[in-house]
């Protein structure tokens, strides 16, 4: 019995370690995504358009998000082919009523809402702001996961999440107060940041439920296939047919295909594709709340990568906020494995010895 308990404890510890590793990789690649995601706005055709016109800006953001989703889908198909899981992918996709519908719903929250909102924030305000604006997403995800399917959050994990939120506020509030408004429509960028936080939090909670019965590699690919379908088949054609904008959608698409913007979008698609793979892999191992909270390290990496590429270093309050984010993540990681033995709560009628935070 003792050897069985030791083996079980060792397996659990190994599982948690891999969960943390995947979450950290997600944060690194997610942070790297903000560099090409911002650079694309400074390439043709966007550099020559009047982005102060909110109609033009919103259409451009929609086209960029559509390209990003399609490229992410293509890179993830390559990943599935390398793993020999394309058959599993199509079989899971066919189970729409029981499984894949959740990924289509997640694509609405994470793609049509969060990714689109993040590009709005990057275009109107900047990469660093866009990165830190979404830092509240672990709170949304953990709260929804707890209310929906009773995912447990220990006291230490809750403290870590609150510290990470404090780091986000330390960055967000001064940025809002000191930001020099170059456009009367600057609020669109701030709204985009809020959309990112809410959308990514909802996405994590939704897919955390779906992955109870899904391989993470297949699940994340279905999620981004759904987003690509929404953008390419429904949203962009609707904009082209019914929206009266100064610049036609097809002209923007053609301009991207014949400029360096496509290279930046490909780089962004590559980083985001494998960021999402790592993010999804962490959820079954350490839970949605912890996976999202550690994924919030992306703000630190986004700030570092942006400073490295632009040679423009952040303000002092950014550094304070990022220090809080790091400390909050450390609080969560330092939690003993015994306190994380049960990620999901038991049914209401069952008796448990652990009290959720």
């Amino acid at each position: 019995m003792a050897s069985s308990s030791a083996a079980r404890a060792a397996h659990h510890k190994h599982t948690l370690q891999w969960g943390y590793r995947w979450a950290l990789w997600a944060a690194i690649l997610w942070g790297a995504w903000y560099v090409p995601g911002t650079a694309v706005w400074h390439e043709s055709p966007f550099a020559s358009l009047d982005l102060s016109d909110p109609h033009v800006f919103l259409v451009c953001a929609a086209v960029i998000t559509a390209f990003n989703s399609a490229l992410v889908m293509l890179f993830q198909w390559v990943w599935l082919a390398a793993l020999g899981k394309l058959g599993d992918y199509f079989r899971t996709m066919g189970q729409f009523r029981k499984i894949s519908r959740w990924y289509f719903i997640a694509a609405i929250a994470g793609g049509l809402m969060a990714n689109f909102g993040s590009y709005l924030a990057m275009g109107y305000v900047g990469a660093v702001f866009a990165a830190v604006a979404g830092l509240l997403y672990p709170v949304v995800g953990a709260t929804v996961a707890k209310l929906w399917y009773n995912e447990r959050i220990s006291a230490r994990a809750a403290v870590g999440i609150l510290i990470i939120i404090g780091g986000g506020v330390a960055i967000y509030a001064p940025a809002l107060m000191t930001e020099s408004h170059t456009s009367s429509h600057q609020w669109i960028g701030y709204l985009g940041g809020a959309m990112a936080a809410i959308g990514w939090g909802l996405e994590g909670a939704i897919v955390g439920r779906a992955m109870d019965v899904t391989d993470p590699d297949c699940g994340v690919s279905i999620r981004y296939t759904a987003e690509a379908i929404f953008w390419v088949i429904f949203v962009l054609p609707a904009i082209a047919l019914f929206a009266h904008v100064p610049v036609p959608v097809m002209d923007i698409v053609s301009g991207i295909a014949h400029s360096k913007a496509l290279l930046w979008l490909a780089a962004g698609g590559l980083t985001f594709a494998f960021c999402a793979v790592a993010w999804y892999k962490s959820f079954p191992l350490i839970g949605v709340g912890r996976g999202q909270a550690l994924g919030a390290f992306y703000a630190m990496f986004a700030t570092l990568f942006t400073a490295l590429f632009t040679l423009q270093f952040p303000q002092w309050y950014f550094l304070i906020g990022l220090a809080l984010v790091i400390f909050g993540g450390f609080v969560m990681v330092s939690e003993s494995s015994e306190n994380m033995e049960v990620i999901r709560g038991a049914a209401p009628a069952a008796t448990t010895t652990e009290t959720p935070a």
Side-chain angles (χ1 to χ4, degrees):
M1 180 64 69
S3 60
S4 176
S5 299
R8 184 171 179 270
H11 172 73
H12 181 66
K13 181 178 180 181
H14 182 72
T15 298
L16 295 180
Q17 289 175 343
W18 271 106
Y20 287 132
R21 289 169 187 166
W22 283 120
L24 181 59
W25 268 114
I28 294 171
L29 293 171
W30 196 343
W33 172 68
Y34 282 90
V35 174
T38 301
V40 68
W41 287 101
H42 301 283
E43 297 290 348
S44 175
F46 309 107
S48 59
L49 296 176
D50 181 17
L51 297 180
S52 63
D53 184 339
H55 299 91
V56 175
F57 180 83
L58 290 172
V59 172
C60 289
V63 174
I64 289 174
T65 311
F67 264 90
N68 180 78
S69 63
L71 288 166
V72 168
M73 178 187 69
L74 292 175
F75 284 122
Q76 288 180 346
W77 282 355
V78 173
W79 171 251
L80 286 176
L83 296 176
K85 292 184 177 182
L86 281 175
D88 294 335
Y89 163 81
F90 288 112
R91 281 191 293 272
T92 306
M93 178 75 83
Q95 297 292 323
F96 185 80
R97 291 184 59 188
K98 296 182 179 179
I99 302 177
S100 60
R101 65 169 176 162
W102 294 112
Y103 292 110
F104 277 74
I105 296 172
I108 295 174
L112 300 185
M113 187 175 183
N115 289 356
F116 179 62
S118 193
Y119 274 114
L120 292 180
M122 281 188 275
Y124 253 126
V125 185
V128 173
F129 173 81
V132 301
L135 279 176
L136 293 179
Y137 86 91
V139 183
V140 177
T143 301
V144 173
K146 182 175 178 61
L147 294 176
W148 184 9
Y149 43 83
N150 198 29
E151 178 168 296
R152 296 178 183 275
I153 304 175
S154 70
R156 181 182 287 270
V159 170
I161 290 174
L162 290 175
I163 294 174
I164 292 173
I165 293 172
V169 171
I171 301 171
Y172 202 114
L176 287 174
M177 292 187 293
T178 63
E179 182 69 39
S180 58
H181 294 271
T182 58
S183 167
S184 59
H185 304 289
Q186 194 88 13
W187 62 270
I188 295 176
Y190 296 113
L191 176 62
M195 289 169 60
I198 296 172
W200 278 323
L202 290 175
E203 177 188 356
I206 293 168
V207 302
R209 186 68 170 186
M211 281 194 296
D212 284 346
V213 290
T214 314
D215 176 80
D217 295 302
C218 295
V220 70
S221 300
I222 293 172
R223 147 60 181 106
Y224 281 93
T225 299
E227 181 182 343
I229 290 172
F230 288 144
W231 280 110
V232 177
I233 296 180
F234 296 107
V235 178
L236 289 189
I239 293 174
L241 291 173
F242 304 112
H244 300 288
V245 293
V247 184
V249 170
M250 292 310 300
D251 287 355
I252 300 176
V253 172
S254 177
I256 291 175
H258 295 87
S259 72
K260 292 181 180 179
L262 185 59
L263 295 177
W264 285 115
L265 287 170
L270 181 64
T271 56
F272 207 78
F274 293 104
C275 151
V277 167
W279 201 45
Y280 274 45
K281 279 181 175 292
S282 72
F283 291 159
L285 300 176
I286 57 177
V288 170
R290 298 177 185 91
Q292 290 196 333
L294 289 175
F297 272 57
Y298 79 87
M300 176 186 69
F301 291 110
T303 302
L304 293 176
F305 288 139
T306 301
L308 186 64
F309 277 86
T310 64
L311 298 182
Q312 296 179 354
F313 294 90
Q315 299 289 336
W316 60 270
Y317 52 82
F318 280 101
L319 300 178
I320 292 176
L322 290 176
L324 288 173
V325 171
I326 296 172
F327 180 65
F330 176 78
V331 169
M332 295 187 68
V333 174
S334 63
E335 184 173 25
S336 65
S337 62
E338 288 77 9
N339 292 335
M340 297 176 62
E341 179 67 24
V342 180
I343 290 178
R344 296 287 169 83
T351 302
T352 61
T353 59
E354 179 182 356
T355 302

